[in-house]
mmCIF file of all heavy atoms in Angstrom:
data_model
loop_
_atom_site.group_PDB
_atom_site.id
_atom_site.type_symbol
_atom_site.label_atom_id
_atom_site.label_comp_id
_atom_site.label_asym_id
_atom_site.label_seq_id
_atom_site.Cartn_x
_atom_site.Cartn_y
_atom_site.Cartn_z
ATOM 1 N N HIS A 14 -39.592 -211.017 -123.434
ATOM 2 C CA HIS A 14 -40.257 -210.924 -122.148
ATOM 3 C C HIS A 14 -40.246 -212.282 -121.393
ATOM 4 O O HIS A 14 -40.827 -213.299 -121.877
ATOM 5 C CB HIS A 14 -41.674 -210.459 -122.255
ATOM 6 C CG HIS A 14 -41.764 -209.039 -122.847
ATOM 7 N ND1 HIS A 14 -42.185 -208.885 -124.115
ATOM 8 C CD2 HIS A 14 -41.544 -207.865 -122.294
ATOM 9 C CE1 HIS A 14 -42.134 -207.611 -124.394
ATOM 10 N NE2 HIS A 14 -41.770 -206.937 -123.376
ATOM 11 N N MET A 21 -37.551 -204.768 -124.678
ATOM 12 C CA MET A 21 -36.651 -204.015 -125.500
ATOM 13 C C MET A 21 -37.024 -202.545 -125.250
ATOM 14 O O MET A 21 -37.928 -201.987 -125.886
ATOM 15 C CB MET A 21 -36.913 -204.332 -127.003
ATOM 16 C CG MET A 21 -36.725 -205.826 -127.321
ATOM 17 S SD MET A 21 -37.029 -206.169 -129.098
ATOM 18 C CE MET A 21 -35.320 -205.947 -129.785
ATOM 19 N N GLU A 25 -35.115 -196.021 -130.899
ATOM 20 C CA GLU A 25 -35.550 -196.599 -132.264
ATOM 21 C C GLU A 25 -34.395 -197.057 -133.143
ATOM 22 O O GLU A 25 -34.428 -197.983 -133.852
ATOM 23 C CB GLU A 25 -36.634 -195.789 -132.941
ATOM 24 C CG GLU A 25 -36.883 -195.993 -134.386
ATOM 25 C CD GLU A 25 -37.593 -197.469 -134.563
ATOM 26 O OE1 GLU A 25 -38.238 -197.819 -133.605
ATOM 27 O OE2 GLU A 25 -37.615 -197.921 -135.694
ATOM 28 N N THR A 26 -33.384 -196.147 -133.190
ATOM 29 C CA THR A 26 -32.248 -196.378 -134.098
ATOM 30 C C THR A 26 -31.678 -197.721 -133.913
ATOM 31 O O THR A 26 -31.144 -198.313 -134.935
ATOM 32 C CB THR A 26 -31.101 -195.287 -133.686
ATOM 33 O OG1 THR A 26 -31.680 -194.031 -133.756
ATOM 34 C CG2 THR A 26 -29.945 -195.408 -134.656
ATOM 35 N N LYS A 173 -22.021 -199.589 -114.787
ATOM 36 C CA LYS A 173 -23.276 -199.018 -115.257
ATOM 37 C C LYS A 173 -23.031 -197.909 -116.296
ATOM 38 O O LYS A 173 -23.641 -197.831 -117.392
ATOM 39 C CB LYS A 173 -23.998 -198.264 -114.068
ATOM 40 C CG LYS A 173 -25.206 -197.398 -114.423
ATOM 41 C CD LYS A 173 -25.854 -196.887 -113.161
ATOM 42 C CE LYS A 173 -25.214 -195.676 -112.507
ATOM 43 N NZ LYS A 173 -25.451 -194.500 -113.305
ATOM 44 N N THR A 177 -23.691 -197.661 -120.420
ATOM 45 C CA THR A 177 -24.334 -196.445 -121.001
ATOM 46 C C THR A 177 -23.523 -195.962 -122.197
ATOM 47 O O THR A 177 -24.066 -195.710 -123.273
ATOM 48 C CB THR A 177 -24.498 -195.322 -119.878
ATOM 49 O OG1 THR A 177 -25.371 -195.914 -118.867
ATOM 50 C CG2 THR A 177 -25.239 -194.077 -120.590
ATOM 51 N N ARG A 181 -24.296 -195.881 -126.357
ATOM 52 C CA ARG A 181 -24.204 -194.669 -127.175
ATOM 53 C C ARG A 181 -23.421 -195.004 -128.385
ATOM 54 O O ARG A 181 -23.661 -194.625 -129.516
ATOM 55 C CB ARG A 181 -23.529 -193.567 -126.383
ATOM 56 C CG ARG A 181 -24.374 -192.981 -125.352
ATOM 57 C CD ARG A 181 -23.970 -191.569 -125.150
ATOM 58 N NE ARG A 181 -24.715 -190.943 -124.021
ATOM 59 C CZ ARG A 181 -24.110 -191.000 -122.807
ATOM 60 N NH1 ARG A 181 -22.952 -191.476 -122.596
ATOM 61 N NH2 ARG A 181 -24.917 -190.511 -121.839
ATOM 62 N N VAL A 284 -36.535 -199.939 -115.318
ATOM 63 C CA VAL A 284 -36.033 -200.173 -116.703
ATOM 64 C C VAL A 284 -34.634 -199.438 -116.870
ATOM 65 O O VAL A 284 -34.442 -198.315 -116.676
ATOM 66 C CB VAL A 284 -36.958 -199.483 -117.758
ATOM 67 C CG1 VAL A 284 -36.334 -199.621 -119.195
ATOM 68 C CG2 VAL A 284 -38.257 -200.181 -117.767
ATOM 69 N N GLN A 294 -32.427 -198.162 -107.426
ATOM 70 C CA GLN A 294 -32.751 -196.797 -107.858
ATOM 71 C C GLN A 294 -33.362 -196.022 -106.703
ATOM 72 O O GLN A 294 -33.852 -196.471 -105.660
ATOM 73 C CB GLN A 294 -33.827 -196.735 -109.003
ATOM 74 C CG GLN A 294 -35.135 -197.529 -108.563
ATOM 75 C CD GLN A 294 -36.024 -197.638 -109.791
ATOM 76 O OE1 GLN A 294 -36.240 -196.755 -110.658
ATOM 77 N NE2 GLN A 294 -36.802 -198.705 -109.968
ATOM 78 N N GLY A 298 -36.595 -192.517 -109.510
ATOM 79 C CA GLY A 298 -36.227 -193.320 -110.707
ATOM 80 C C GLY A 298 -34.889 -193.108 -111.277
ATOM 81 O O GLY A 298 -34.502 -193.477 -112.370
ATOM 82 N N GLN A 299 -34.020 -192.340 -110.469
ATOM 83 C CA GLN A 299 -32.613 -192.140 -110.963
ATOM 84 C C GLN A 299 -31.842 -193.438 -110.442
ATOM 85 O O GLN A 299 -32.082 -193.885 -109.267
ATOM 86 C CB GLN A 299 -31.965 -190.983 -110.353
ATOM 87 C CG GLN A 299 -32.718 -189.622 -110.708
ATOM 88 C CD GLN A 299 -32.804 -189.340 -112.100
ATOM 89 O OE1 GLN A 299 -32.041 -189.923 -112.976
ATOM 90 N NE2 GLN A 299 -33.667 -188.417 -112.508
ATOM 91 N N ILE A 300 -30.892 -193.951 -111.216
ATOM 92 C CA ILE A 300 -30.271 -195.163 -110.865
ATOM 93 C C ILE A 300 -29.259 -194.906 -109.795
ATOM 94 O O ILE A 300 -28.475 -193.960 -109.768
ATOM 95 C CB ILE A 300 -29.500 -195.751 -112.135
ATOM 96 C CG1 ILE A 300 -30.480 -195.862 -113.308
ATOM 97 C CG2 ILE A 300 -28.910 -197.034 -111.878
ATOM 98 C CD1 ILE A 300 -31.730 -196.688 -112.889
ATOM 99 N N PRO B 53 -34.305 -184.904 -116.793
ATOM 100 C CA PRO B 53 -33.089 -185.690 -116.898
ATOM 101 C C PRO B 53 -33.103 -187.127 -116.277
ATOM 102 O O PRO B 53 -33.836 -187.239 -115.267
ATOM 103 C CB PRO B 53 -31.963 -184.850 -116.343
ATOM 104 C CG PRO B 53 -32.699 -183.829 -115.534
ATOM 105 C CD PRO B 53 -34.071 -183.670 -116.008
ATOM 106 N N SER B 55 -30.450 -190.370 -115.080
ATOM 107 C CA SER B 55 -28.883 -190.650 -114.742
ATOM 108 C C SER B 55 -28.143 -191.428 -115.854
ATOM 109 O O SER B 55 -26.927 -191.272 -115.940
ATOM 110 C CB SER B 55 -28.771 -191.415 -113.387
ATOM 111 O OG SER B 55 -29.602 -192.623 -113.590
ATOM 112 N N ASP B 56 -28.939 -192.201 -116.693
ATOM 113 C CA ASP B 56 -28.211 -192.957 -117.682
ATOM 114 C C ASP B 56 -28.801 -192.737 -119.070
ATOM 115 O O ASP B 56 -29.447 -193.671 -119.623
ATOM 116 C CB ASP B 56 -28.291 -194.415 -117.266
ATOM 117 C CG ASP B 56 -27.383 -194.661 -116.060
ATOM 118 O OD1 ASP B 56 -27.913 -194.397 -114.936
ATOM 119 O OD2 ASP B 56 -26.258 -195.103 -116.272
ATOM 120 N N ASP B 60 -28.498 -189.752 -125.554
ATOM 121 C CA ASP B 60 -27.989 -188.292 -125.583
ATOM 122 C C ASP B 60 -26.465 -188.200 -125.659
ATOM 123 O O ASP B 60 -25.779 -189.088 -125.085
ATOM 124 C CB ASP B 60 -28.523 -187.624 -124.275
ATOM 125 C CG ASP B 60 -29.975 -187.237 -124.380
ATOM 126 O OD1 ASP B 60 -30.349 -186.543 -125.432
ATOM 127 O OD2 ASP B 60 -30.717 -187.601 -123.506
ATOM 128 N N GLN B 65 -26.201 -184.659 -121.844
ATOM 129 C CA GLN B 65 -25.906 -185.488 -120.629
ATOM 130 C C GLN B 65 -25.344 -184.639 -119.482
ATOM 131 O O GLN B 65 -25.715 -184.735 -118.312
ATOM 132 C CB GLN B 65 -24.902 -186.538 -120.999
ATOM 133 C CG GLN B 65 -24.482 -187.445 -119.711
ATOM 134 C CD GLN B 65 -23.427 -188.334 -119.964
ATOM 135 O OE1 GLN B 65 -22.491 -188.198 -120.820
ATOM 136 N NE2 GLN B 65 -23.428 -189.515 -119.228
ATOM 137 N N ASN B 103 -37.690 -195.166 -117.414
ATOM 138 C CA ASN B 103 -37.701 -195.389 -115.955
ATOM 139 C C ASN B 103 -38.204 -194.312 -115.124
ATOM 140 O O ASN B 103 -38.788 -194.511 -114.124
ATOM 141 C CB ASN B 103 -36.225 -195.790 -115.536
ATOM 142 C CG ASN B 103 -36.221 -196.530 -114.171
ATOM 143 O OD1 ASN B 103 -36.872 -197.457 -114.105
ATOM 144 N ND2 ASN B 103 -35.473 -195.902 -113.247
ATOM 145 N N ARG B 107 -41.395 -195.134 -112.727
ATOM 146 C CA ARG B 107 -41.233 -195.046 -111.327
ATOM 147 C C ARG B 107 -42.320 -194.088 -110.753
ATOM 148 O O ARG B 107 -42.822 -194.394 -109.673
ATOM 149 C CB ARG B 107 -39.836 -194.500 -110.951
ATOM 150 C CG ARG B 107 -39.456 -194.413 -109.547
ATOM 151 C CD ARG B 107 -39.210 -195.763 -109.010
ATOM 152 N NE ARG B 107 -38.629 -195.657 -107.617
ATOM 153 C CZ ARG B 107 -38.867 -196.575 -106.608
ATOM 154 N NH1 ARG B 107 -39.672 -197.592 -106.925
ATOM 155 N NH2 ARG B 107 -38.308 -196.441 -105.537
ATOM 156 N N GLU B 133 -43.850 -201.009 -129.602
ATOM 157 C CA GLU B 133 -44.137 -202.337 -129.163
ATOM 158 C C GLU B 133 -44.253 -202.426 -127.595
ATOM 159 O O GLU B 133 -44.809 -203.324 -127.100
ATOM 160 C CB GLU B 133 -43.175 -203.453 -129.619
ATOM 161 C CG GLU B 133 -43.128 -203.583 -131.136
ATOM 162 C CD GLU B 133 -42.105 -202.839 -131.911
ATOM 163 O OE1 GLU B 133 -41.963 -201.635 -131.480
ATOM 164 O OE2 GLU B 133 -41.382 -203.391 -132.719
ATOM 165 N N GLU B 134 -43.452 -201.596 -126.905
ATOM 166 C CA GLU B 134 -43.436 -201.679 -125.418
ATOM 167 C C GLU B 134 -44.466 -200.604 -124.785
ATOM 168 O O GLU B 134 -44.393 -200.335 -123.565
ATOM 169 C CB GLU B 134 -42.045 -201.478 -124.876
ATOM 170 C CG GLU B 134 -41.060 -202.608 -125.310
ATOM 171 C CD GLU B 134 -41.260 -203.819 -124.480
ATOM 172 O OE1 GLU B 134 -42.171 -203.912 -123.634
ATOM 173 O OE2 GLU B 134 -40.375 -204.814 -124.693
ATOM 174 N N THR B 156 -32.250 -195.790 -139.747
ATOM 175 C CA THR B 156 -32.197 -197.245 -139.890
ATOM 176 C C THR B 156 -33.426 -197.853 -139.989
ATOM 177 O O THR B 156 -33.607 -199.123 -140.165
ATOM 178 C CB THR B 156 -31.371 -197.745 -138.676
ATOM 179 O OG1 THR B 156 -31.927 -197.205 -137.499
ATOM 180 C CG2 THR B 156 -29.898 -197.372 -138.716
ATOM 181 N N SER B 157 -34.551 -197.143 -139.542
ATOM 182 C CA SER B 157 -35.859 -197.697 -139.521
ATOM 183 C C SER B 157 -36.326 -198.409 -140.853
ATOM 184 O O SER B 157 -36.185 -197.720 -141.933
ATOM 185 C CB SER B 157 -36.954 -196.703 -139.162
ATOM 186 O OG SER B 157 -36.658 -196.255 -137.799
ATOM 187 N N ARG B 161 -41.318 -200.388 -139.654
ATOM 188 C CA ARG B 161 -41.196 -199.729 -138.434
ATOM 189 C C ARG B 161 -41.709 -198.209 -138.549
ATOM 190 O O ARG B 161 -42.238 -197.664 -137.661
ATOM 191 C CB ARG B 161 -39.758 -199.801 -137.872
ATOM 192 C CG ARG B 161 -39.315 -201.216 -137.605
ATOM 193 C CD ARG B 161 -38.198 -201.285 -136.667
ATOM 194 N NE ARG B 161 -38.466 -200.606 -135.399
ATOM 195 C CZ ARG B 161 -39.227 -201.176 -134.418
ATOM 196 N NH1 ARG B 161 -39.673 -202.318 -134.641
ATOM 197 N NH2 ARG B 161 -39.521 -200.566 -133.357
#
Side-chain angles (χ1 to χ4, degrees):
Chain A
H14 296 101
M21 304 177 91
E25 168 64 22
T26 306
K173 167 177 88 73
T177 300
R181 286 207 188 94
V284 172
Q294 57 183 325
Q299 305 297 345
I300 307 307
Chain B
S55 53
D56 292 81
D60 283 305
Q65 179 186 27
N103 198 54
R107 185 73 169 147
E133 294 98 316
E134 295 283 4
T156 51
S157 296
R161 300 201 58 77

